[in-house]
Each structure stands twice: as C-alpha cells, then as structure tokens.
Amino acid sequence: MKLKKKQALEKVFTYILAALIPLLLIAYAFQIKRYAELSREISDLEKKQERLIEQNKKLVSDISLLSSTDRIKRIATDELGMHKAETKDIVRVDMNGDKK
C-alpha cells in the first residue's frame, strides 16, 4: 500500500514539474519581451534628452546673443531713436510725500 502511495506521489510530482517547466519558459519569454521594450524606451528617451540638451544649448546661445549690450544699444539708437540722457534731461521726483 505504501509503495502505491509513494508511486502516486512521484507521478503527481512529475506531472507538476512537467507542467511547471513550460509555464516558467513562457514567463521567461514575457520577461525578455518586457526587457527589450524597456531597453528600447530607455534608448529613445536618451536620444530625446540629447536633442533637448542641444536645443537648450542653442537657446542659451541665442539668449546671450540677443541680450548683448552692443545689440541693445544699436537697436535703441538706430531703430528706436533713443539717446543717452544728458544731465539737463534728468528729472528728480521726490516719492517721500514731503511738501515743500
């Protein structure tokens, strides 16, 4: 009787093991697929980051160029007709509210 029980347990263990191996292989295949997708996504994000860094460098360079003192002075004088204030053009305004 014990021998039949032992053989039955061995058969059940063999069947479970036989069913478990394909399930593990399927799970492994899904993991490989997910890893490949994540690797591709990381690669795409790294490329996007590089593009954004280059775009940022260009924008910083443009800001530096556009905010240069010489450029602003040229626009003020040539396009807007502005000039440096003379001493006689400066008006002082008292903001303390004291009446004299």
Side-chain angles (χ1 to χ4, degrees):
M1 196 68 160
K2 282 191 170 191
L3 186 61
K4 286 186 180 183
K5 218 177 195 184
K6 185 177 179 182
Q7 287 176 342
L9 283 174
E10 286 177 356
K11 281 185 180 181
V12 168
F13 178 73
T14 304
Y15 292 143
I16 291 173
L17 188 61
L20 192 59
I21 291 173
L23 291 175
L24 290 174
L25 289 173
I26 290 170
Y28 181 69
F30 281 121
Q31 287 294 85
I32 290 174
K33 181 179 180 240
R34 181 71 178 141
Y35 177 79
E37 289 172 355
L38 289 173
S39 293
R40 190 171 28 257
E41 185 177 346
I42 288 171
S43 176
D44 291 344
L45 289 172
E46 286 173 344
K47 288 176 185 175
K48 182 178 181 179
Q49 182 182 25
E50 288 175 15
R51 283 193 311 269
L52 289 173
I53 288 171
E54 288 302 315
Q55 183 182 9
N56 190 40
K57 285 179 184 177
K58 184 183 180 312
L59 290 173
V60 167
S61 173
D62 289 348
I63 288 171
S64 175
L65 179 68
L66 292 173
S67 63
S68 71
T69 308
D70 293 337
R71 179 180 174 276
I72 293 173
K73 186 176 180 180
R74 182 182 46 79
I75 291 173
T77 55
D78 297 346
E79 296 178 20
L80 300 175
M82 299 173 87
H83 60 84
K84 199 168 194 177
E86 306 268 335
T87 308
K88 63 179 180 170
D89 296 332
I90 298 174
V91 177
R92 290 187 160 250
V93 177
D94 185 18
M95 299 298 287
N96 293 332
D98 295 336
K99 294 186 179 182
K100 292 184 180 179

